Amino acid sequence: MKNKKQYINGRRLKSALNYINRNLQNNISVKALSREAFMSEPSFFRCFKLQFGITPVEYIIRQRIKVAKMMLRAADVPISEISYSSGFNNMSYFLRTFKRRTGLTPSQY
């Protein structure tokens, strides 16, 4: 029974990951993710952390930084545009988060 439950939870989490990837530039709440996975918020949060070792919010931030890094490498686009395109609504939060995660400012990267 446990394997079936793990399989179902894995499929539900995959649905949530797909939702994150499709909506990365938008505001994503744990409530929306839990609805996407057909789970209560506490159950979703617990399963996500158990499966991936990080919280859903941490996963979203990592994905957004990953997108920002790709955009910084690929094109000569203003940093403000990259910030908003990768899902950060606040430029100063983007700059702080990027530097904390990579050790470099977006300009240095």
Side-chain angles (χ1 to χ4, degrees), residues 2-76:
K2 189 172 187 176
N3 288 336
K4 184 176 181 182
K5 186 176 181 179
Q6 287 174 333
Y7 172 77
I8 290 169
N9 286 343
R11 289 188 53 122
R12 290 177 176 182
L13 291 175
K14 186 174 182 176
S15 176
L17 292 179
N18 289 335
Y19 179 87
I20 290 169
N21 291 328
R22 285 190 320 267
N23 295 286
L24 207 52
Q25 71 283 357
N26 301 321
N27 191 14
I28 303 171
S29 68
V30 173
K31 184 176 187 172
L33 293 173
S34 64
R35 273 196 314 255
E36 187 69 25
F38 298 100
M39 301 170 116
S40 69
E41 287 181 55
S43 291
F44 173 75
F45 198 88
R46 186 173 47 257
C47 285
F48 195 99
K49 184 148 181 158
L50 186 64
Q51 180 74 29
F52 301 109
I54 57 174
T55 67
V57 174
E58 176 64 22
Y59 179 84
I60 292 166
I61 290 170
R62 288 182 183 185
Q63 292 303 104
R64 288 177 172 163
I65 293 294
K66 186 175 168 182
V67 167
K69 287 163 82 175
M70 287 189 307
M71 291 179 76
L72 285 165
R73 280 186 295 234
D76 189 23

Side-chain angles (χ1 to χ4, degrees), residues 67-68 71-86 91 94-95 106-107:
V67 167
M71 291 179 76
L72 285 165
R73 280 186 295 234
D76 189 23
V77 179
I79 292 172
S80 60
E81 189 175 322
I82 290 172
S83 167
Y84 295 113
S85 295
S86 58
M91 181 69 162
F94 168 68
L95 295 172
S107 321

